Amino acid sequence: MGHRFSKRKLEGTENLSPGRFSVSEEAPPHYSSYSTGSEMAVSMETPTQRPSEVVNSRQDNRRPSIYSTMDAMPHLEFYANATATGRIRRCRPSLETLRKTVDVDSGRGSVSALQESEIESEENGPGGKTAQPVRFGWITGVMIRCMLNIWGVILFLRLSWITSQAGILLTWLIILMSVLVTSITALSVSAISTNGRVSSGGAYFMISRTLGPELGGPIGVVFSFANALACALNTVGFAETVRDLLIEYDSQIVDSVNDVRIIGSITVTVLLLISLAGMEWESKTQILFFLVLMVSFVNYFVGTLIPATPQKQSIGVFGYRSEIFLENLFPDWRGADGDFFRMFAIFFPSAIGILAGANISGDLKVTSICKHAKNKEATNLLNFLIMNDSLPLNFSEPCEGLSCGLGWNFTECQQSGTCTFGLANNFQVLIQVSGFGPLIYAGIFAATLSSALAFLVSAPKVFQCLCKDNIYPFIGFFAKGYGKNNEPLRAYLLCYIIAMCFILIAELNVIAPLISNFFLCSYALINFSCFHASITNSPGWRPSFRYFSPWTGLFGAVISVVLMFLLTWWAALIAFGLIIFLFGYVVYKKPGVNWGSSVQASTYNMALSYSVSLAGVEDHVKNYRPQCLVLTGPPTLRPALVDFVGSFTKNVSLMICGDILMRNSNDMIKWLNQRKVRSFYTSFKASDLREGARHLLQASGLGKLKPNILVMGFKMNWHESSSKVYLFGLSDAFDSNHGVCVLRMMDGLDIRDELETEGMLCSSVCVCLIQSLNNFSNAFLLPLFVSGLTLLVPYLLTRRKCWRRSKVRVFIIGEQQTMENDRKEMMTLLQRFRLDVHDVIVVTDSERPPLAKNMRRFEETLAPFRLNEGQLDERTAQQQRTEFTWKVTDKEMDSEKKVRLNELIRRNSKYAALVLVSLPVAQADCPSSLYMSWLDTLSYGIHCPVLLIRGNQQNVMTFYCQ
C-alpha cells in the first residue's frame, strides 16, 4: 500500500533478464537464485548483459523499499505452487538475504536463497510444444451442464405423476423446499469456492480442503457413489421411455422389467464409450443434447396453447381451465408411494444439478433460472384430469367428476382402476400435451442421456481426486490419468460397473430416494463446511463471495440431515454408517496431508480458549497430573525414554521433549507422530545441559500447561566426564519446585551406535519396557524419601493396555518387631488412595552389611574422585577440600546402605518388568561424584528399566472428596 507504479520504462531496462540483478542509478539491484551443488546462491549482474538473457524489467515488478534495495514487491509467482513449464520461478529474497551485506557497487555477492523451478514436460514434442488440456467456458462448462442436469429424467417422467399425488400446493412446496436447500447450498459453495483456487473434485475437494481429510475422505466416497447412482437413475429413465415406445408398437423384447435392464445396459455402455473418447466429444454431445432439449421445451409450450382436439380430450387433456386447476389444488394420495416425503425423495434428484458446475463461479444465477422454469412446468402440467373413456353426447349412464361437465364420462375406469391415461396413470403425459409428440421423445432422450453422461463423467473425476490424495488404501490404482485431460479411464470402468449394478434394479422410484439421501448428505457437509470455516475466525477464511451467512449454512446443514431421515430413514442410516466408518478409519490412520482445514483453526481456538480459562483455575490435588519435560535430546536417539514417559502421560497429561541443541523440529514432530507419542517438541540453544535445562524449565509450557516433572536419562559415562553439570540440573529442578525422574536401562538409552552400525531401529529398541506383562512392577520406597509419585506412576502405567496385567508390589523398609503394623498401615493408606496393589512387602534386613564384592565395586568406582585424606597432612587436606569441592572425603564414603539397598532390589526384582525407586535428595554440599555414584549403585545390575523418582514434597494424591 502506498506504492506508485511508473508508466515510464527505465533506461537500459528494456531487455533485462528476468530474475537477474540490474544495478544502475535509477533501478535497484535484482536477484535470482541458482544452484551450486548442494547450496543455493543469489547472483548479481549489471545492466551490461547479453541480449539473449534480458527481458523487460517492468514485468519483474520490483521497487526498493526504504529498508533494503534488495526488497521485492509482492508478486503472484511468490505464492504460486507451480509455474509454467520450462520457466524459472521467481522467489522473494530470504531474511538471510536481506540481512547479509551485499556489495552493490562491485556487482558481486552471494547469499542463500530459495529456488523452485520446473523442468520441461516429458510430453513435449520435438517442436517443444506441449499438448494443452481442453478447457470449457461458463456456457459449456457450467450453464449447459447445470440445465441438462436439472431438466432431467424426473422433470419429464415423474413431475406430472408427483403433481397428481401431491396436488398443486404441495407440489409447489416440494419444489420450494428443493430450491431452498439447493440455494443455501449454492451460497455455501460460492463462499468456499471463492476462498482460494478450487481444483477438480467438486464437493469432495471443497469439503476436504475446508474440514480436512477426516470428513473429506468419507464424503468423497459417498459423493462419487451418489454420482454413479445418478448415472443409473437417468439411464433407467431413458430405458423406461424406450420400453414404453416398444409397448406402444407391440414390440417388447422380453417383458417390461427385463426390457429396462437390457436397454439400460446397452445405453450405459454406449455412454461409457463416449466418455472414453475424451472430454471434447463429451462436451460436443452435451451441446447437441441441449439444443434438442430446447426444441422439445418449445414444442411442449406450444402444445399447451393449441386447443385440445377430441382425441386429446378422450385421454383427459383439456387445456388451461380454472375448474381443473382448482380440482387439482389438493393432494390425492394413491398407492404405496402416496406420501409427501416419498414424493419429495423422488423429486429431489432433479435438484442435484447445481453441483455440475460447482467449481466455476457464476453458476448461481443460472441455477435459479432453471428452478423457476421447473415451477412453471409444474403449473402447466395441471391441465389434465385422470380420465380415458369417452362419453357420448346423449348418455343415460351415471357420471361422476369434473369431466362430466366437459362432455366426457370417465367414471367406469376410475371406479375399476383401469385408467391408462392421466397424470396418475401415465408417465408420458408431456408427449400427449405437446404440439408434436416425437419431439418430446427426443427431449426425454436428450435430458436422460445428457444427465447420465454428465454423472458418468463427474463420478470418476471426483473419485480420481480422492485416489490421488491417498487417504484410503488400495484405491491408488484408480488415480492414474491418461491423455492431455488426465482422463481417469480406470475410474470410468469402476463407475460403469456400479451404474450397471443399479440399472439391473430397473425401478426409477427405488433408485431416486437413495440418490436423494446421498446428495443431501453431501449438501449437509458442504453447508457445515461453510458454517464451520466462518465461525473459526481464521484469518485464512477470506471468500470473495460475500452474500452468505454462516447461520444459513448451519440451517442448510440441519435441514438436509432432517430431510434425509424423513425421506428414507434406512438409507440415511446406511449413509451415516458408511461416513462414520470411513471417518473413523481416517482418524485412526492419520494421513500425512495438511490442507489448512477449519478443523485445525477450530482446534486452535478451543486450545487457546481453554488454556486461558485454565489459567484462572486454582490447582487442586485431585486434578494433579504428572506433566513432564523430558530431556531427550533428539527423540530419535532415545526412543525408550520417549516411549516410557509417553506410556503414562498419553491421554492423561502434558509431555514435552526438550532438546538443548537446535534441530529441525518438523522432523522430530513427524517422528513422534509416527511413533504415536502424544508429545510436544521444543529446543533451546545453550552452552551446556544445565543452562538449557534451566531455561526449558522456565519457558516451556503455556499457563497451567507447564511441566512439573523433569525427566532425564541416567548419565552412563558420568565418571568419564564432569558430573557437576548433571547434578546442578537436578538441583535446579528442585529449586524451581519440579519433581525429578531419572530412567536407567542396562544398555543405556542412547542408540546412536546402533543407528550408525545397523541403520534405523524399529520400536523393538524399548521392547524390554513391555515384556513380562504377567510379572511385577516393583516400587521401592526408601525411608525418609517416600514420594507419592512412586505410587502414582505405576497406577498410570497399569491403565495402559500393555501394562494392564502387570501387578504392583510395594517394598518398604522396616523393623522386624513392627513389620506387621508397618505393612497394615501401608495397605490402609494404599486402599484409601484407591490404588490396586498386589502386595506390600516389609524389608527388615536392610541394616545388614553389603557383600564385600559389591562394596569393593562401589569404592573402585569412586577411587578417582577420593580426596584420600589419610595420605595428606591436615593443611594440604584442608586446601584440597576447599579447592576440589567435587572430591569425596573419607567421612562421606559411608554409603553402605545404598549398596545394601541395591542388593535387596536385585534380589526381589529378578522377574520384574520395571523397578521404581525413590530418588535420594542431595544436600547442598554433597559432591557431584558421590551423588552420581549413589544413583549408579542403586540402579546397578538390574536387568529391567529402573526409574529413580522424586516429587517436590507436595501432595499428588488425596483420599478426601473435596
Side-chain angles (χ1 to χ4, degrees), residues 781-949:
L781 308 183
L782 276 66
L784 304 180
F785 302 117
V786 176
S787 167
L789 278 178
T790 316
L791 299 172
L792 182 61
V793 169
Y795 164 73
L796 295 176
L797 285 172
T798 55
R799 294 172 61 179
R800 298 298 304 278
K801 183 178 180 180
C802 59
W803 291 87
R804 193 165 295 161
R805 291 181 293 167
S806 296
K807 300 173 183 178
V808 179
R809 297 189 301 176
V810 176
F811 291 80
I812 59 175
I813 306 298
E815 300 291 338
Q816 183 69 35
Q817 300 85 346
T818 61
M819 181 176 64
E820 279 303 318
N821 289 335
D822 293 343
R823 184 178 182 278
K824 288 180 180 179
E825 287 182 6
M826 180 55 65
M827 288 291 291
T828 301
L829 179 63
L830 295 174
Q831 288 173 0
R832 289 197 175 187
F833 283 144
R834 303 170 305 282
L835 297 175
D836 186 14
V837 175
H838 177 70
D839 196 7
V840 173
I841 301 172
V842 181
V843 179
T844 60
D845 57 348
S846 61
E847 297 298 328
R848 290 177 55 183
L851 297 177
K853 64 176 182 179
N854 294 330
M855 196 63 198
R856 186 166 52 252
R857 177 194 171 275
F858 174 76
E859 292 174 350
E860 290 175 355
T861 303
L862 268 182
F865 307 100
R866 293 283 301 275
L867 188 58
N868 296 320
E869 297 169 289
Q871 302 175 9
L872 304 173
D873 58 76
E874 182 62 28
R875 182 178 178 182
T876 305
Q878 182 62 35
Q879 181 180 357
Q880 290 203 12
R881 277 196 295 266
T882 305
E883 184 176 354
F884 303 104
T885 57
W886 51 272
K887 288 196 173 185
V888 182
T889 64
D890 295 340
K891 181 180 180 181
E892 295 168 334
M893 277 295 294
D894 185 16
S895 300
E896 291 186 357
K897 289 186 177 181
K898 307 295 188 300
V899 180
R900 177 57 182 164
L901 184 59
N902 173 258
E903 293 177 353
L904 294 173
I905 294 173
R906 285 192 289 169
R907 186 180 69 188
N908 291 280
S909 303
K910 292 181 180 179
Y911 304 104
L914 174 67
V915 172
L916 296 96
V917 183
S918 293
L919 176 73
V921 177
Q923 296 181 352
D925 58 348
C926 178
S928 59
S929 55
L930 177 62
Y931 184 72
M932 293 302 299
S933 68
W934 285 353
L935 302 186
D936 183 33
T937 300
L938 280 173
S939 56
Y940 173 76
I942 303 176
H943 70 92
C944 63
V946 180
L947 184 68
L948 302 166
I949 185 169

Side-chain angles (χ1 to χ4, degrees), residues 144-395:
I144 291 179
R145 291 178 181 273
C146 285
M147 285 183 172
L148 287 173
N149 276 271
I150 291 173
W151 290 330
V153 62
I154 301 298
L155 173 65
F156 279 93
L157 299 181
R158 289 298 184 271
L159 184 57
S160 58
W161 175 73
I162 292 172
T163 305
S164 72
Q165 294 268 359
I168 296 175
L169 296 180
L170 291 185
T171 301
W172 281 350
L173 180 61
I174 290 173
I175 295 174
L176 290 176
M177 287 174 61
S178 301
V179 170
L180 177 65
V181 173
T182 55
S183 297
I184 292 175
T185 305
L187 294 177
S188 299
V189 168
S190 299
I192 297 173
S193 61
T194 58
N195 190 53
R197 296 183 62 179
V198 176
S199 181
S200 61
Y204 159 70
F205 188 91
M206 289 185 288
I207 294 174
S208 62
R209 270 56 176 181
T210 304
L211 289 178
E214 293 82 5
L215 283 173
I219 206 59
V221 175
V222 171
F223 190 65
S224 302
F225 186 69
N227 277 273
L229 288 186
C231 175
L233 174 79
N234 286 276
T235 305
V236 169
F238 170 80
E240 278 190 3
T241 305
V242 176
R243 177 203 61 187
D244 293 343
L245 270 175
L246 294 176
I247 293 175
E248 183 178 346
Y249 291 97
D250 196 20
S251 301
Q252 278 187 292
I253 303 174
V254 180
D255 54 51
S256 60
V257 175
N258 287 306
D259 284 3
V260 172
R261 293 169 179 165
I262 295 171
I263 297 168
S265 300
I266 297 173
T267 303
V268 76
T269 304
V270 174
L271 295 177
L272 174 67
L273 296 177
I274 296 175
S275 301
L276 295 177
M279 287 295 294
E280 287 181 279
W281 283 95
E282 188 268 348
S283 178
K284 292 175 182 178
T285 306
Q286 294 285 28
I287 294 175
L288 176 62
F289 286 149
F290 180 75
L291 295 176
V292 173
L293 192 62
M294 291 298 100
V295 173
S296 176
F297 277 144
V298 172
N299 173 55
Y300 165 73
F301 283 114
V302 170
T304 62
L305 298 175
I306 298 175
T309 64
Q311 183 181 3
K312 286 188 176 182
Q313 290 181 5
S314 67
I315 58 175
V317 178
F318 295 94
Y320 293 99
R321 292 179 180 271
S322 59
E323 59 269 29
I324 297 179
F325 178 82
L326 295 175
E327 178 76 12
N328 288 277
L329 275 178
F330 301 101
D332 182 15
W333 306 117
R334 302 184 181 198
D337 292 332
D339 177 77
F340 174 81
F341 290 107
R342 180 67 175 176
M343 295 299 105
F344 183 90
I346 295 173
F347 173 81
F348 190 76
S350 65
I352 61 179
I354 63 163
L355 291 179
N359 294 336
I360 305 174
S361 60
D363 62 328
L364 300 180
K365 184 176 181 181
V366 175
T367 303
S368 178
I369 292 174
C370 295
K371 289 297 179 186
H372 286 299
K374 280 207 300 189
N375 200 345
K376 184 176 178 60
E377 293 282 351
T379 304
N380 290 337
L381 284 172
L382 301 174
N383 304 317
F384 326 113
L385 287 174
I386 309 169
M387 317 167 176
N388 77 336
D389 287 341
S390 61
L391 176 71
L393 294 178
N394 298 316
F395 64 91

Side-chain angles (χ1 to χ4, degrees), residues 541-560:
W541 176 249
R542 302 184 303 274
S544 56
F545 181 80
R546 304 288 184 181
Y547 306 102
F548 74 97
S549 168
W551 304 112
T552 58
L554 179 61
F555 174 76
V558 171
I559 198 66
S560 297

Side-chain angles (χ1 to χ4, degrees), residues 7 26 99 136 219 226 265 283 316 322 370 431 461 481 502 513 524 573 642 676 692 714 728 732 759 777 928 935 952:
K7 295 182 179 180
E26 298 184 11
R99 294 179 65 197
F136 306 103
I219 206 59
S265 300
S283 178
S322 59
C370 295
I431 298 172
K461 292 284 186 181
F502 281 88
L573 289 178
V642 173
K676 298 182 180 179
F714 181 74
F728 284 165
D732 291 338
S777 295
S928 59
L935 302 186
N952 58 2

